[in-house]
Amino acid sequence: VSARVVITGIGVLTANANSATAYANALRDGRSGVRTMRRFDPGWPFRQAGEVDLEEADPTLDRVSQLAVSTAHQAVADACLPADGDWRRQAGVFAGTSRGPAIALETALLCGAEAVHPALLAEIPFHSVARNVAGRLGLEGPRVTVTMACVSSSLAVGRATSAVRHGRIRVALAGGVDALTNLSFSGFSVLRAMTKTVCRPFDRRRDGMVLGEGAGWLVLEEAEHARQRGARIYGEVCGWGTAGDAYHPTSPHPEGRGLRQAMAQALADAKLPVDAVDHVNLHGTGTAANDPAECRGIAGLFRERAPRVPVNSLKPMIGHTLGAAGVLELAGSVLGMYGGFIPPTLNHEEGDPACPLDVVKGASRETRVDTFISTKSAFGGANVAIVVRRTA
Amino acid sequence: VSGRVAVTGVGTVWGRTVGRDALRHVLYPDVPAVEVAGASAPSGRDAAPGMRQMDGLARIAVIAAKAALADASYQVGDDEADRIGLAFGTGYGCLASNYEYLEVIRARGTRLGNPVIFQNTVPNAATGYVAMATGIRGPNATFAAGKVAAAEALAFGREQIQDGWAFAALCGSADQLSIPTRWILGVQGPESAAGEARPFDRRRDGIVPREGACFVLLEDLARAEERQAKVQAEIIGMGQAGGRAGDAPPLAAAIRAALEDAQISPGFVDLVVSSANGSWIGDRHEAQAVLEVLPHSVPVTCPPARLGDTLGATMAFGLAAACLVFSVGRLPAFDPTFVPDPDCPLLFSDTEPRALQPQIVLLPIAGDDGTAHALLLQRYGS
């Protein structure tokens, strides 16, 4: 079995949007949600982040699961799947998260395990996100929890694509979630990865990243299943690939070796030549090490065409959402392809000679994209690339 | 490539023992242990210099992974490193490092966090260390899925080989006990007050959690044969099933899915390597699921009776134990005082040694995420 896999629903919660429609509008307008943090004091002078306004209505769920469940409902509604349909019996949940329900762990540590509702202790394991989403939405298919730092949700989309393609399921909810935590803010700060100004991916003056939080889900559906029910199709996930750097615990391979390999595998999986790619959504953290490594990975694959392929990074608009970054930024490019534009890389003004790329900057670029790649890289030297193409 | 997936190497860390032969001695105490050079699981200040940045989870993962490659006599060449996959599963991941980091910033302030500890606060840090230690650069994945974590890793590795993206895949799982892990296990069910793992025993009173790591090298069967590898088993089927919230994980459905994947009928299964861990409800559930699908005459052995509950590594250790049964030709004997639970009426064979040359082995496991997995192994050449 090798079924085609299409995207029929998108759910998004980011600092700049609370739905797929709002996200598309924010990205087209180049509107950032990065602001001074309100939920907690991270204890550092730089307190900007892509924080999500969420009414946490369920005290038995970690904030992370609340973000995930809320967004999953959105995605199902966006796909116009019936609330009580048979599709739920086999529908799988493929969740990616870097830190999981880390706020439950932080709360238990700060207040003592005895002071925490037992339900929140049960929330600490990473797999509670998939369990909660499946349980709250009544999805009875397989559950997979990917925990690969910043590529978590990208690999979740890949695994879901394979499950549908191989005929194991016909509908999958694939995505990811992460929340802003003391641990993340402190950790990336002591690693000196955070900006002291603004996040400026691929800019000569870049000085680091800005954190964010959020959740995103895609409804992935076997193409024939979607066609039979007359679903709107945003695009087709036609290939994906993953590769390791085997180089350093936190830094990417300086030549972008694993990234290039992941992209090559994704294109081979899609049976598409490199020349078919109209746009690359990059990881683009704005750190000193990441951006040039990505650029060299692109150069290694695209060769002389590399400086002419439009690329972008959405992190200046939503922050680096860690485990959710893969799906949220993929969703951004899907919505852009569907709407006829490429979202801009905010704050990018002066190109870096070490990154000779066609960075979409300033405002969104109105253009037709037929095929794009979204790439993400992570701690542990993990890289994932996903190829999406227009279906009509 | 053949699309058939062979197991050609097994590496384990359990307690302070390392390697397949050490595991054999644990499961079959009458079989002498074979000393392996450098075979101990170093920790803390005893760790080798290259391991000092790693947390405990990564250390045991790296040791087990290298032991699996050594057992397979497999050298990762630079020219093929992109076509060797790496999949790691963990039940509770790096919670110890998260806890350690948070304790430091709670006590000393958020600006005094330790960057070395921070890099270990994601589960795939261990995967990255294994990649660096082995040179593997191919398809790469990490899963944190509670008790079924190893099943996820094995499924990924097998699929990468079957789909042609990898010639081989090093797949494994590890878990480390820590304060937050104990919190979670405490919510899930009791630990044995007696400190004895007694799966399917009427006197069982809870689980005995144990740290451990187990990796296996999966290879495309044709390539393994071409390099004249010692094939220990063939994975012929895997199945996963989810279920309704609040219901027991649908283990019987997962077993049926694995049988369908392998295209064999239940009557061909002639051994069950159980994952039962001494949980009052969980053991009964597993017994019922096995009896629902398989004939009553299929013998059952249960490595957690000796190894304890190795959490996310349980299925990997079960696979290693099944390979040992293939090679030793008899089932291990664990507890001569075993008192059967009438609600678990399995042909449980762990009371005394029993000669057996199984052809097809089933490994079922139910997860705390509400899903269940099953894996079918076949004796090589069967």
Side-chain angles (χ1 to χ4, degrees):
Chain A
V1 179
S2 186
R4 292 174 61 197
V5 183
V6 295
I7 301 166
T8 57
I10 298 174
V12 169
L13 263 178
T14 60
N16 66 353
N18 58 6
S19 70
T21 304
Y23 192 45
N25 291 336
L27 297 182
R28 186 190 282 272
D29 297 345
R31 199 163 57 243
S32 173
V34 173
R35 68 181 191 206
T36 301
M37 283 178 59
R38 296 174 191 160
R39 189 161 54 79
F40 65 91
D41 177 359
W44 290 78
F46 180 80
R47 296 176 184 194
Q48 299 283 300
E51 190 175 32
V52 171
D53 291 319
L54 174 76
E55 186 183 341
E56 297 185 38
D58 189 343
T60 66
L61 286 187
D62 189 276
R63 176 179 175 84
V64 170
S65 281
Q66 298 200 47
L67 285 164
V69 169
S70 169
T71 317
H73 278 297
Q74 262 188 44
V76 169
D78 190 54
C80 297
L81 283 160
D84 54 355
D86 275 351
W87 67 273
R88 290 173 191 251
R89 299 246 169 83
Q90 285 192 328
V93 177
F94 297 76
T97 179
S98 170
R99 308 223 150 263
I103 295 171
L105 178 64
E106 289 195 5
T107 307
L109 181 65
L110 295 173
C111 306
E114 304 76 20
V116 176
H117 193 292
L120 280 181
L121 289 182
E123 283 285 289
I124 291 174
F126 296 84
H127 61 258
S128 65
V129 174
R131 182 184 64 204
N132 289 329
V133 168
R136 304 292 165 124
L137 275 74
L139 308 182
E140 299 175 21
R143 276 151 232 168
V144 172
T145 302
V146 180
T147 47
M148 297 177 70
C150 311
V151 302
S152 299
S153 55
S154 300
L155 198 98
V157 170
R159 288 298 283 155
T161 299
S162 293
V164 175
R165 188 185 276 175
H166 288 301
R168 291 196 289 273
I169 52 176
R170 302 190 82 185
V171 180
L173 211 51
V177 61
D178 261 313
L180 288 165
T181 62
N182 273 300
L183 192 149
S184 295
F185 215 100
S186 169
F188 284 109
S189 297
V190 297
L191 278 179
R192 302 181 187 280
M194 302 277 267
T195 177
K196 294 179 177 63
T197 53
V198 294
C199 176
R200 294 185 178 97
F202 309 109
D203 188 293
R204 189 177 58 79
R205 298 165 304 159
R206 72 186 179 281
D207 66 346
M209 57 184 253
V210 63
L211 277 173
E213 64 180 355
W217 294 95
L218 304 179
V219 174
L220 299 183
E221 210 169 332
E222 190 214 326
E224 183 58 20
H225 187 269
R227 190 193 63 77
Q228 283 174 0
R229 69 181 188 87
R232 170 191 50 197
I233 294 172
Y234 285 110
E236 177 185 358
V237 182
C238 52
W240 72 281
T242 166
D245 284 341
Y247 173 71
H248 189 272
T250 55
S251 295
H253 188 277
E255 297 301 317
R257 184 173 64 188
L259 176 66
R260 186 180 68 229
Q261 171 70 13
M263 287 191 291
Q265 188 187 336
L267 284 168
D269 188 32
K271 298 182 174 60
L272 288 173
V274 175
D275 286 348
V277 177
D278 301 320
H279 157 55
V280 183
N281 164 240
L282 290 169
H283 195 40
T285 57
T287 57
N290 175 84
D291 295 5
E294 274 195 286
C295 184
R296 291 182 195 117
I298 291 284
L301 185 72
F302 287 79
R303 307 280 177 179
E304 64 279 0
R305 196 171 153 245
R308 302 194 304 276
V309 180
V311 302
N312 70 352
S313 165
L314 303 189
K315 288 180 174 67
M317 281 193 266
I318 63 173
H320 188 344
T321 56
L322 304 179
V327 70
L328 284 171
E329 297 172 29
L330 173 68
S333 285
V334 169
L335 290 166
M337 182 174 74
Y338 193 72
F341 68 96
I342 299 174
T345 307
L346 284 195
N347 309 324
H348 177 96
E349 291 168 355
E350 292 181 38
D352 182 348
C355 304
L357 298 168
D358 176 14
V359 179
V360 178
K361 61 182 182 180
S364 57
R365 188 178 295 178
E366 301 292 320
T367 185
R368 179 184 171 97
V369 171
D370 287 322
T371 303
F372 73 86
I373 305 184
S374 180
T375 69
K376 297 292 164 269
S377 303
F379 274 19
N383 303 275
V384 178
I386 296 174
V387 181
V388 178
R389 72 179 164 205
R390 182 186 292 273
T391 51
Chain B
V1 295
S2 65
R4 293 171 64 184
V5 176
V7 181
T8 57
V10 173
T12 61
V13 174
W14 185 82
R16 290 188 68 82
T17 70
V18 175
R20 181 174 176 275
D21 286 323
L23 184 70
R24 183 168 61 183
H25 184 60
V26 172
L27 296 179
Y28 301 91
D30 57 317
V31 177
V34 177
E35 290 296 325
V36 179
S40 64
S43 61
R45 290 176 190 161
D46 299 333
M51 290 186 150
R52 284 184 187 145
Q53 288 203 346
M54 302 180 194
D55 61 4
L57 182 78
R59 280 186 197 133
I60 58 175
V62 167
I63 293 167
K66 290 170 85 169
L69 288 174
D71 186 47
S73 303
Y74 199 99
Q75 299 285 331
V76 178
D78 192 60
D79 56 337
E80 62 170 19
D82 292 342
R83 300 296 298 273
I84 301 173
L86 175 59
F88 177 63
T90 177
Y92 305 100
C94 47
L95 285 177
S97 288
N98 277 262
Y99 188 86
E100 188 179 357
Y101 190 91
L102 285 167
E103 282 224 312
V104 169
I105 65 171
R106 183 179 66 157
R108 300 168 58 192
T110 184
R111 296 197 197 191
L112 294 174
N114 182 332
V116 174
I117 300 174
F118 180 68
Q119 72 189 22
N120 296 329
T121 60
V122 287
N124 65 310
T127 321
Y129 288 123
V130 172
M132 286 188 286
T134 60
I136 292 174
R137 302 196 304 261
N140 180 296
T142 307
F143 305 93
K147 202 169 171 185
V148 298
E152 294 284 4
L154 290 162
F156 178 86
R158 178 179 181 239
E159 188 171 280
Q160 292 298 311
I161 294 170
Q162 289 182 321
D163 287 352
W165 299 117
F167 304 138
L170 188 58
C171 306
S173 190
D175 257 309
Q176 181 187 18
L177 294 177
S178 64
I179 290 171
T181 312
R182 296 279 187 186
W183 290 343
I184 297 161
L185 295 176
V187 173
Q188 290 178 351
E191 290 187 23
S192 168
E196 294 180 21
R198 287 178 166 146
F200 302 124
D201 191 304
R202 200 172 62 192
R203 301 164 299 167
R204 68 188 184 276
D205 66 342
I207 70 168
V208 179
R210 292 294 297 261
E211 293 184 337
C214 180
F215 272 77
V216 296
L217 184 68
L218 306 183
E219 284 188 72
D220 179 81
L221 180 62
R223 282 184 59 95
E225 288 173 334
E226 189 179 294
R227 74 173 185 92
Q228 298 182 314
K230 185 172 183 294
V231 176
Q232 302 184 27
E234 183 181 348
I235 296 178
I236 58 168
M238 293 193 77
Q240 184 190 9
R244 291 185 187 184
D247 288 356
L251 195 50
I255 296 170
R256 289 194 185 95
L259 290 165
E260 187 178 333
D261 185 38
Q263 299 184 317
I264 61 169
S265 66
F268 282 97
V269 176
D270 47 14
L271 176 66
V272 175
V273 174
S274 167
S275 61
N277 58 3
S279 150
W280 192 253
I281 295 172
D283 289 13
R284 189 174 292 183
H285 169 243
E286 182 173 321
Q288 288 166 351
V290 168
L291 291 169
E292 184 182 323
V293 183
L294 301 185
H296 281 59
S297 56
V298 179
V300 176
T301 189
C302 187
R306 176 58 58 91
L307 303 176
D309 187 339
T310 48
L311 308 175
T314 299
M315 183 178 265
F317 273 104
L319 196 159
C323 290
L324 286 171
V325 172
F326 284 138
S327 113
V328 174
R330 63 186 161 91
L331 301 183
F334 299 135
D335 182 5
T337 69
F338 176 72
V339 179
D341 177 353
D343 286 327
C344 303
L346 298 169
L347 193 59
F348 190 58
S349 307
D350 288 355
T351 54
E352 56 187 31
R354 173 176 166 178
L356 189 75
Q357 299 280 354
Q359 304 302 307
I360 307 277
V361 178
L362 168 70
L363 291 90
I365 191 162
D368 34 4
D369 63 348
T371 64
H373 292 249
L375 182 149
L376 284 162
L377 275 183
Q378 180 171 276
R379 174 188 291 277
Y380 177 57
S382 171

